Amino acid sequence: MESTHQHGGESVSRDGETPLNRDLWQALVEKAWLVAAILIGSAALGVWVAQRSPLVYQSRAVVFFDFGEQKVVAIEEVAKSEKGGVDLLNTLANNIRSSAILRRAVAAQKLAEHPYFTGGTNTLTEDQVVRAIAGAVDARLRRFTRLIDVTVELGDPKLAQLIAQSVVDEFIKQSGEDRMGVGQSAGQILIDEERRVKERLAKAELAVQAYVRTNSISLSQDANIMSDEFKALSSQSTEAKTERLLLDVEWESAKRLSGDLDQLLTLASVSRAPEIANLRDKLQTQEANVSNLKLRYLEKHPAMIQARNELAALKKTFEEEVRRAPLRIQQQREAAVEKEKRLELALKEQEKKLGQLGVQRIEYDRLQREAATERQLYDTIIKRLREIDITTPIKKNDIRVVEPASFSSTPIRPNKRMILIYSLALGSVVAFGLVWLLQQLDTTIKSVDHAERLLGLPVLRSEEHTSELQSRFGISYAV
């Protein structure tokens, strides 16, 4: 018989094994068949789950955003100047999987009629398909890069590849359309103004021709009739009127776009204002500083916090300055109107002085001046429209597809190996827990040591007795 002794209130055998551990081990040995059955059952359940789980395939496309080092040198580049930073990239990743982009992809590929979604039944609506694929499309930014992974997970590998590529293509198209739309509102205003000025120019030129025919004025005598001072005043008046008309266009544009900062920046008088240009340069410098600090410090470092606070303050100041642009344009327009009126008065005074040269020549000069003013304004508007037409198509695209959507014939789910491992681990926990519970509920005496520990009395002698119960039920007991 193996002796035991007390240690710290707990019985310990000579070999250092506690009775509780020995009883649990003995219970495990006795219930080995139960443990094996549970493990086999859990493995079978894991295999069944792995076989029954639907296959899921993943297609991945990688998009690169190249705008960090861009400099704002023209109106069309204004919208690009405020891009940069991790927050912007995360925003772009969210935009990729937005419902607007998904709806464009669904419409482009006619997914509402695809058998994968319809199941061979009636055609679904685009909104229904968008909701169906919203959870399957994901876009995530890679840390410390400008790469965004666009993934689609579906039960059809070809369809997953199709949707992933379509989402990327539609996002690039949408970005291009937005970029082309920068300054488009101001361009439309210029087109409308061009029509009106063209009509006025035609009328002014016809008036000059009709006046010449009616009064038989010799155009060769212009230099001898008009004095140098009258020429200078006439030129200044024409420039003042042209400046005022252009400011009228800018003012009308500013009033229409007063709530949209990006559109306000498309106006030449706003984007080229010294205050805004200076703040834009400071903002770009601070954004570059924040980007450099990110490579050395964590987000909560004092230097990073200070840099971000300065960047936020610059952005706020920049936005406030842009919002004040309409007021500045109005003030410039009012000053231009006053200048035009002053020059018109001076010109009228000069016309009175030149009255002796003939009323006909004065009227002719007035008509010529009006025609020249309309011609100059028309040429200026045409030049501005040509600048938009020429620069917009060659504008660099800041979004590139690094890796097109991939096709994978190997499903990413279910992971049969991990399912089997998890099922066996769960089966082991259940098996050992059940054996421990049965051992705790078992009140029978298993051994002499168990009897001594249970009764608190030493056993003087132990004998095995075989009785009718043992012969029938295999039960033995010690006395």
Side-chain angles (χ1 to χ4, degrees):
M1 181 178 67
E2 188 182 57
S3 64
T4 60
H5 62 278
Q6 299 290 326
H7 179 74
E10 182 180 9
S11 298
V12 182
S13 62
R14 291 180 180 176
D15 58 2
E17 184 180 14
T18 62
L20 181 59
N21 293 339
R22 188 168 58 250
D23 292 343
L24 181 58
W25 174 252
Q26 184 177 358
L28 287 173
V29 172
E30 292 176 355
K31 305 296 183 183
W33 62 271
L34 179 60
V35 174
I38 293 177
L39 289 178
I40 293 172
S42 62
L45 179 62
V47 172
W48 181 82
V49 170
Q51 293 296 332
R52 298 283 295 181
S53 298
L55 299 180
V56 178
Y57 299 87
Q58 184 186 77
S59 179
R60 180 191 305 273
V62 182
V63 182
F64 176 71
F65 291 85
D66 181 17
F67 46 67
E69 288 74 29
Q70 296 292 326
K71 296 296 182 181
V72 179
V73 295
I75 296 175
E76 294 79 11
E77 300 287 335
V78 172
K80 197 180 294 183
S81 64
E82 296 186 11
K83 296 182 179 179
V86 177
D87 294 339
L88 173 61
L89 290 171
N90 284 323
T91 301
L92 292 173
N94 290 330
N95 289 340
I96 291 177
R97 59 175 182 264
S98 66
S99 58
I101 299 299
L102 296 183
R103 187 172 290 104
R104 288 174 63 107
V106 169
Q109 302 300 331
K110 298 181 180 179
L111 297 180
E113 303 173 3
H114 198 282
Y116 182 87
F117 300 106
T118 62
T121 59
N122 296 331
T123 302
L124 301 178
T125 64
E126 290 185 359
D127 289 337
Q128 289 175 322
V129 179
V130 168
R131 287 194 296 268
I133 67 174
V137 179
D138 191 20
R140 293 185 182 276
L141 172 67
R142 292 188 189 179
R143 292 191 63 187
F144 307 117
T145 70
R146 297 177 186 174
L147 300 176
I148 293 181
D149 294 316
V150 181
T151 58
V152 177
E153 298 178 359
L154 288 175
D156 186 339
K158 292 184 178 179
L159 182 60
Q161 181 188 27
L162 177 66
I163 294 178
Q165 189 63 47
S166 181
V167 167
V168 171
D169 292 342
E170 293 303 323
F171 176 73
I172 293 176
K173 289 180 183 178
Q174 180 68 52
S175 301
E177 291 171 4
D178 292 342
R179 187 169 53 253
M180 293 287 289
V182 174
Q184 203 169 43
S185 179
Q188 185 60 44
I189 294 174
L190 286 174
I191 291 174
D192 296 337
E193 186 65 19
E194 183 267 342
R195 295 194 189 99
R196 292 191 292 268
V197 173
K198 187 176 182 180
E199 293 176 359
R200 295 201 302 266
L201 175 60
K203 292 179 180 179
E205 290 177 344
L206 289 174
V208 172
Q209 296 172 6
Y211 192 81
V212 170
R213 287 195 301 269
T214 302
N215 298 280
S216 301
I217 296 176
S218 176
L219 300 179
S220 61
Q221 300 177 358
D222 285 350
N224 298 325
I225 296 176
M226 296 185 65
S227 66
D228 293 339
E229 184 178 358
F230 186 84
K231 290 180 180 180
L233 285 173
S234 179
S235 176
Q236 293 175 11
S237 177
T238 299
E239 292 176 357
K241 188 172 183 179
T242 302
E243 179 183 1
R244 193 263 303 167
L245 289 173
L246 288 174
L247 285 173
D248 285 344
V249 174
E250 297 281 350
W251 169 236
E252 290 296 328
S253 302
K255 287 195 296 183
R256 297 183 189 180
L257 307 175
S258 59
D260 192 335
L261 298 182
D262 291 336
Q263 293 295 329
L264 277 174
L265 286 170
T266 63
L267 302 178
S269 59
V270 177
S271 62
R272 296 173 184 173
E275 303 88 352
I276 293 178
N278 184 37
L279 284 173
R280 187 188 302 124
D281 293 338
K282 291 182 179 179
L283 190 59
Q284 290 178 338
T285 302
Q286 186 62 23
E287 286 177 343
N289 184 30
V290 170
S291 299
N292 292 332
L293 290 176
K294 282 183 181 178
L295 301 177
R296 294 185 294 171
Y297 304 119
L298 297 177
E299 290 294 327
K300 295 187 178 179
H301 192 276
M304 280 296 300
I305 294 175
Q306 181 181 358
R308 285 194 175 280
N309 290 339
E310 292 175 357
L311 180 60
L314 279 174
K315 286 183 177 180
K316 183 178 179 181
T317 304
F318 181 79
E319 292 174 357
E320 291 175 351
E321 196 65 30
V322 173
R323 290 192 178 94
R324 284 196 293 268
L327 179 60
R328 286 198 303 272
I329 295 175
Q330 183 182 11
Q331 293 172 349
Q332 293 172 1
R333 176 178 171 274
E334 292 173 354
V337 170
E338 292 297 325
K339 180 180 178 181
E340 182 183 4
K341 290 180 179 179
R342 185 172 63 255
L343 289 173
E344 286 289 340
L345 290 175
L347 194 60
K348 288 180 180 179
E349 291 295 329
Q350 188 65 19
E351 287 177 352
K352 291 179 181 179
K353 294 178 181 179
L354 297 176
Q356 66 273 16
L357 297 178
V359 177
Q360 292 181 342
R361 295 303 308 177
I362 294 175
E363 179 64 17
Y364 171 77
D365 293 338
R366 185 185 67 79
L367 292 175
Q368 280 281 68
R369 186 175 67 255
E370 290 181 356
T373 299
E374 299 296 342
R375 169 60 64 182
Q376 184 176 356
L377 180 59
Y378 181 76
D379 291 342
T380 302
I381 293 176
I382 292 298
K383 182 180 178 181
R384 290 285 304 280
L385 288 174
R386 286 176 179 173
E387 288 178 358
I388 295 176
D389 292 339
I390 292 173
T391 57
T392 301
I394 63 174
K395 189 175 179 182
K396 181 188 173 197
N397 192 350
D398 53 13
I399 305 174
R400 292 189 288 110
V401 178
V402 178
E403 295 180 12
S406 60
F407 175 81
S408 176
S409 59
T410 303
I412 61 170
R413 289 193 301 273
N415 190 332
K416 297 182 179 180
R417 178 181 299 177
M418 293 307 300
I419 290 176
L420 184 58
I421 292 174
Y422 290 150
S423 62
L424 288 175
L426 180 60
S428 300
V429 173
V430 172
F432 284 104
L434 183 59
V435 170
W436 178 83
L437 180 62
L438 292 176
Q439 190 265 340
Q440 295 295 317
L441 297 176
D442 190 359
T443 59
T444 61
I445 298 175
K446 303 294 184 181
S447 64
V448 174
D449 291 341
H450 191 195
E452 287 182 339
R453 190 169 63 256
L454 184 63
L455 300 175
L457 297 175
V459 175
L460 301 178
R461 187 168 59 123
S462 65
E463 296 181 359
E464 282 201 15
H465 294 270
T466 302
S467 62
E468 185 179 357
L469 292 175
Q470 182 182 10
S471 62
R472 291 185 179 181
F473 306 104
I475 298 175
S476 64
Y477 57 93
V479 179

